[in-house]
Amino acid sequence: MTPRPRLPVRRLLLVLVWVLLPLLAVGWWLYVRLDGNVRTDHAAAAALADDAEARPPADGSSGDLRTYVIIGSDREGGTGTARSDTVVMLQLPGDARRAEAVHVPRDLMVDIPRCRKETGTEWTEPRRAQFNWAYRYGGAACTIRTLEDLTGVRVDSHLVVEFSAVEKIVNAVGGVEVTLAEAEHDWHVGHDLAAGTHLLDGKQALAYVRARQLVGDGSDLNRIERQQEFLRLLYERARGDSTLLNPARLYPVLEAVTSSVTAGPGLDSLTALYGLARDLRSVPSHGLRFHTVPVVPHPERENRVALDEERAGALFAALREGRELP
């Protein structure tokens, strides 16, 4: 029996190699580029290491539970003395069946511990102040230490996200649709929308989530509610149009995120960030739940709030134990 010629097979393999090698090279170049965008928050890592004995224990009975802190910064290029008007604790159990996102009001009066400044050579004194001042005093590490003292919850890692990322991500997913019952105008942030339904582009979306003084009752709690609803809509948009499964749509999102974040250890790589995004996508739409730390008007400080001790205590206990939040 005459053997079949192998030349066509070899030619086919050769063609495949010539086709695949450039694709692999491009893929590797894109990975290196995106991975290189992510900045590591070395200052926060060093400061938290110095405070290791004062922090809640890293071990516990919560299994694969992960707790992250996401800090919205209004200064481009990372942390520093910029404001952090948005701080969210994100907790994910190992089975990724739910995700709990807890906003911390910026005007909440808290005890801010002694913090090392990001220069690395000076320390701040402990003080009683509104929560968002912790970031100004000592960057992400001071915000994390303040939260850990407040809640008793150990933070595994963190992300400092520039507000410009909102604009980039919204443009990457093709816009986010919102419906307004009445017209909204806040010239402080360039927010100007008529009543009705709007498909917001990135610039409009950024103004929408930052609007406060001339929208609703003008309070930070009102802005938190707006941001939570917008994040829910953005999450549904990203899940609904299969952004995470479409390379053409995914790359702009990854470019927007990686170029706009400074990450703590464990989240400071493209692989880690994509893993977090994948875990969030696997959470059912009803499983992503937003909460706000319960507060009451401060009895002595106008325009400030204090903890609602009973309700906040129940929420913090659930966070510590990895249970569904009340």
Side-chain angles (χ1 to χ4, degrees):
M1 184 177 181
T2 304
R4 295 182 180 179
R6 296 186 177 181
L7 190 57
V9 175
R10 290 176 179 173
R11 285 177 178 171
L12 178 59
L13 290 175
L14 186 61
V15 170
L16 287 175
V17 168
W18 278 105
V19 170
L20 290 176
L21 277 179
L23 292 176
L24 291 174
V26 170
W28 176 249
W29 177 82
L30 291 175
Y31 176 86
V32 171
R33 174 189 168 115
L34 290 171
D35 194 60
N37 284 344
V38 184
R39 299 178 296 271
T40 302
D41 198 344
H42 296 293
L48 291 172
D50 286 344
D51 281 342
E53 294 184 0
R55 302 180 65 194
D59 55 355
S61 59
S62 50
D64 295 329
L65 187 73
R66 293 158 290 159
T67 302
Y68 304 113
V69 169
I70 302 172
I71 301 169
S73 170
D74 65 357
R75 192 188 80 173
E76 306 225 351
T79 58
T81 58
R83 294 171 297 175
S84 60
D85 288 348
T86 301
V87 175
V88 179
M89 295 187 76
L90 176 66
Q91 194 168 80
L92 281 166
D95 59 13
R97 292 182 179 178
R98 59 184 175 84
E100 310 280 8
V102 181
H103 274 78
V104 186
R106 50 159 279 171
D107 296 332
L108 173 64
M109 296 300 293
V110 295
D111 291 319
I112 300 177
R114 177 176 179 263
C115 293
R116 189 170 83 170
K117 294 183 179 181
E118 291 189 311
T119 59
T121 58
E122 298 178 283
W123 292 78
T124 64
E125 293 299 321
R127 68 190 77 191
R128 184 78 173 175
Q130 66 186 69
F131 173 70
N132 70 324
W133 279 92
Y135 186 74
R136 184 181 292 266
Y137 293 148
C142 196
T143 297
I144 290 169
R145 288 286 294 109
T146 301
L147 268 178
E148 290 182 337
D149 285 356
L150 180 69
T151 65
V153 177
R154 171 74 174 226
V155 174
D156 296 303
S157 193
H158 69 280
L159 293 172
V160 179
V161 184
E162 298 159 9
F163 278 124
S164 60
V166 174
E167 183 173 347
K168 298 174 184 177
I169 293 172
V170 169
N171 285 335
V173 301
V176 173
E177 189 175 274
V178 300
T179 300
L180 304 180
E182 58 185 30
E184 294 185 352
H185 311 282
D186 189 343
W187 58 266
H188 296 92
V189 294
H191 178 56
D192 186 11
L193 291 175
T197 299
H198 305 268
L199 180 64
L200 303 185
D201 61 21
K203 184 177 181 180
Q204 293 171 315
L206 182 58
Y208 179 86
V209 298
R210 301 188 75 176
R212 172 189 179 183
Q213 297 187 44
L214 302 180
V215 173
D217 62 8
S219 70
D220 184 50
L221 296 178
N222 178 68
R223 178 167 59 179
I224 286 176
E225 290 181 3
R226 291 167 58 84
Q227 291 177 349
Q228 289 176 343
E229 179 59 23
F230 183 82
L231 288 173
R232 189 189 307 280
L233 293 171
L234 178 58
Y235 172 73
E236 292 294 341
R237 177 76 168 182
R239 292 181 82 253
D241 68 358
S242 301
T243 295
L244 296 180
L245 300 177
N246 183 341
R249 299 293 295 274
L250 177 61
Y251 180 81
V253 174
L254 292 177
E255 172 70 24
V257 172
T258 57
S259 64
S260 305
V261 301
T262 303
L267 284 179
D268 54 344
S269 70
L270 178 61
T271 301
L273 290 174
Y274 185 71
L276 176 58
R278 185 184 60 240
D279 289 345
L280 284 173
R281 188 182 186 278
S282 67
V283 174
S285 58
H286 64 275
L288 176 62
R289 290 175 292 200
F290 291 94
H291 314 264
T292 303
V293 172
V295 296
V296 295
H298 197 279
E300 301 172 356
R301 301 285 299 272
E302 187 178 0
N303 298 324
R304 299 292 179 266
V305 294
L307 280 183
D308 181 330
E309 296 288 349
E310 182 177 352
R311 294 172 59 218
L315 183 141
F316 296 157
L319 281 171
R320 288 192 296 271
E321 297 166 13
R323 295 185 282 107
E324 291 189 18
L325 300 191

